[in-house]
Amino acid sequence: MSKENVEFVPGETVYLRHAQREQVGMVFPLRVVEERGDAVVLWAPAGTRGWHTNMPDGRSMGQTPLPEWSATRRVPAPHTIDHGVLSWHPRGRDYSIRWFYRPDGTFYRWYANLEAPSVLWRDGGLAGLDTADWDLDVVIEPDRSWAWKDEELFAERLTMPEAYWVDDEDRVRRAGKEVIALVEAGAFPFDGTWCGFRPDPAWPPLSPELPAGWDRPLASMR
């Protein structure tokens, strides 16, 4: 798998994967909008199908004790999003920022996903980016009011370090505070950029099929 000097091509499909220890926790297809050198911008319309990995008996992560979840080899289960999402992944940052749009294209919320810096990769005919989702997030409304999300869940999972994929609570909270400072300043990416985004009408639908190689080894992250 190559991850050295990887560049994406506008219009191509790439797969966002979330690492949970040594397993893939999520696979989601997105269309490349632009490669900016310091960031990549991705898009998925409402109705796009992705996959979470669930327990073999069908239980989701929320229905399973974390030690059992991390110790069990899981299987992909499809899910479909009901909103459009534009996703900005800056190089070397501990977060990505999503713009959410209603099916009619109206922007309605920002979402700051606190996570390990994304690692881009290309392997044969498949390309993607890997990160570890740190669970604690920040939700930002169009008026720039904001709120932490999943604080109780994050705190609970931190009590199980042998099963969790987050080992630095301070780093996660610093990332959230960095985002909040940008929100309160009205600075990019919370300055209205891309709120009126419209995808290229020539782009074909993203494939609803899980690609072969979805479970290839995860890229190493720092």
Side-chain angles (χ1 to χ4, degrees):
M1 181 192 301
S2 174
K3 58 181 177 26
E4 297 297 327
N5 301 315
V6 172
E7 294 184 357
F8 291 158
V9 178
E12 78 170 312
T13 299
V14 298
Y15 290 88
L16 173 62
R17 301 193 304 172
H18 284 175
Q20 296 176 345
R21 300 180 79 85
E22 301 303 317
Q23 292 198 62
V24 176
M26 186 197 77
V27 183
F28 193 77
L30 297 122
R31 182 87 52 198
V32 177
V33 176
E34 60 179 292
E35 170 78 56
R36 298 165 54 90
D38 62 344
V40 60
V41 183
L42 309 172
W43 164 255
T48 298
R49 172 185 285 184
W51 296 264
H52 292 296
T53 55
N54 284 351
M55 298 292 284
D57 60 10
R59 282 178 296 156
S60 68
M61 187 177 180
Q63 298 168 324
T64 310
L66 189 63
E68 182 184 1
W69 180 264
S70 292
T72 304
R73 183 58 54 182
R74 303 186 302 274
V75 297
H79 73 279
T80 301
I81 60 169
D82 59 6
H83 58 273
V85 58
L86 188 74
S87 195
W88 175 66
H89 296 260
R91 299 272 199 270
R93 302 283 186 87
D94 286 345
Y95 52 81
S96 64
I97 307 297
R98 288 87 186 271
W99 285 249
F100 287 170
Y101 305 83
R102 296 187 175 90
D104 67 2
T106 304
F107 166 76
Y108 72 92
R109 180 175 292 161
W110 290 281
Y111 191 98
N113 207 69
L114 308 184
E115 59 188 35
S118 297
V119 178
L120 279 58
W121 53 265
R122 190 176 294 279
D123 193 356
L126 203 63
L129 58 167
D130 290 352
T131 182
D133 186 344
W134 290 338
D135 290 327
L136 184 65
D137 299 313
V138 184
V139 177
I140 305 102
E141 302 300 335
D143 65 0
R144 297 188 184 85
S145 59
W146 58 268
W148 293 101
K149 181 177 180 293
D150 293 331
E151 283 190 283
E152 291 183 4
L153 177 67
F154 180 62
E156 177 187 357
R157 290 177 176 170
L158 284 169
T159 66
M160 296 175 274
E162 73 289 344
Y164 201 21
W165 42 92
V166 178
D167 59 7
D168 190 340
E169 178 182 2
D170 289 343
R171 179 178 177 181
V172 177
R173 293 195 178 276
R174 281 197 305 271
K177 290 175 182 177
E178 180 179 336
V179 168
I180 290 165
L182 294 171
V183 172
E184 293 182 340
F188 179 83
F190 306 105
D191 60 353
T193 301
W194 293 318
C195 289
F197 174 79
R198 294 293 184 272
D200 187 334
W203 285 339
L206 291 161
S207 174
E209 303 301 324
L210 185 65
W214 68 269
D215 56 350
R216 60 195 61 213
L218 288 153
S220 60
M221 284 161 271
R222 59 178 176 81

